[in-house]
Amino acid sequence: MRYLVRAVKYFFWFSILFALIMVALVLLGIADSSPELMFRDGWKSVAYIAVLFAAVAAFYPRFGFISRDVAVPGGYSEIRNGVVEIMESKGYVIESEEGENMTFRLRSKVSALFKMFEDRITLTRIDGGFSAEGLTKEVVRIAGALEYRFKDRSVDGE
């Protein structure tokens, strides 16, 4: 169900962005205000564009969101404060904590708006660390920071 909601959100986001660009072009006098004159096939072209947006929106959540295992050695009580500290340095605040699982949201509502409020990062405790779930770009960025911070120094000979 979450996948479908995300796909619909992205369809509307693409459509609104397209409409804003078209309005800007009309206001600047670059394009005509009538879709019949703006596009070669008029409203038929608008329908093709909508189908294209629907196709892209249908697949984007598949690639835009991931779940990735993050190696964070140590007991939960030892690493919890460090994890929260790293998340806060990346602009996140803790939303909820259930047992050893944590959920974070972006502190800035403006940043959350630009991510269409798909700003939640969920850290689920697994053996040897966490499973991080959220936007691909954010999960990769946070996973790298967590793994670097909690890197097992004994393996490197430090």
Side-chain angles (χ1 to χ4, degrees):
M1 184 63 167
R2 189 180 337 176
Y3 187 94
L4 179 63
V5 169
R6 285 177 175 162
V8 170
K9 275 185 179 181
Y10 279 102
F11 174 77
F12 283 111
W13 181 257
F14 295 148
S15 299
I16 290 168
L17 187 61
F18 176 72
L20 290 174
I21 291 170
M22 294 287 83
V23 167
L25 291 174
V26 169
L27 291 176
L28 292 171
I30 297 171
D32 202 313
S33 61
S34 169
E36 293 296 334
L37 299 173
M38 188 182 299
F39 301 106
R40 183 181 314 172
D41 292 329
W43 284 104
K44 189 175 181 181
S45 293
V46 173
Y48 289 147
I49 292 168
V51 169
L52 174 69
F53 287 168
V56 171
F59 289 104
Y60 185 77
R62 174 76 175 109
F63 303 106
F65 297 87
I66 62 168
S67 180
R68 177 176 171 183
D69 292 347
V70 183
V72 182
Y76 184 74
S77 60
E78 301 167 1
I79 63 173
R80 183 206 177 273
N81 291 338
V83 170
V84 171
E85 184 179 303
I86 288 171
M87 294 300 289
E88 287 177 350
S89 75
K90 300 294 182 193
Y92 286 85
V93 293
I94 195 160
E95 179 185 44
S96 68
E97 186 172 9
E98 297 174 13
E100 295 185 350
N101 301 328
M102 296 181 274
T103 303
F104 296 87
R105 299 294 297 255
L106 279 172
R107 179 181 304 113
S108 167
K109 296 304 174 201
V110 174
S111 295
L113 174 66
F114 282 112
K115 295 180 187 316
M116 294 186 309
F117 296 100
E118 292 287 349
D119 62 327
R120 181 176 285 121
I121 299 291
T122 304
L123 299 177
T124 305
R125 192 74 164 133
I126 59 173
D127 288 338
F130 291 98
S131 175
E133 181 182 337
L135 280 168
T136 300
K137 178 182 172 184
E138 294 299 310
V139 168
V140 169
R141 183 172 72 107
I142 288 165
L146 288 170
E147 288 177 341
Y148 180 78
R149 167 80 184 264
F150 295 102
K151 186 169 70 171
D152 188 0
R153 306 274 187 226
S154 64
V155 173
D156 295 338
E158 295 179 12

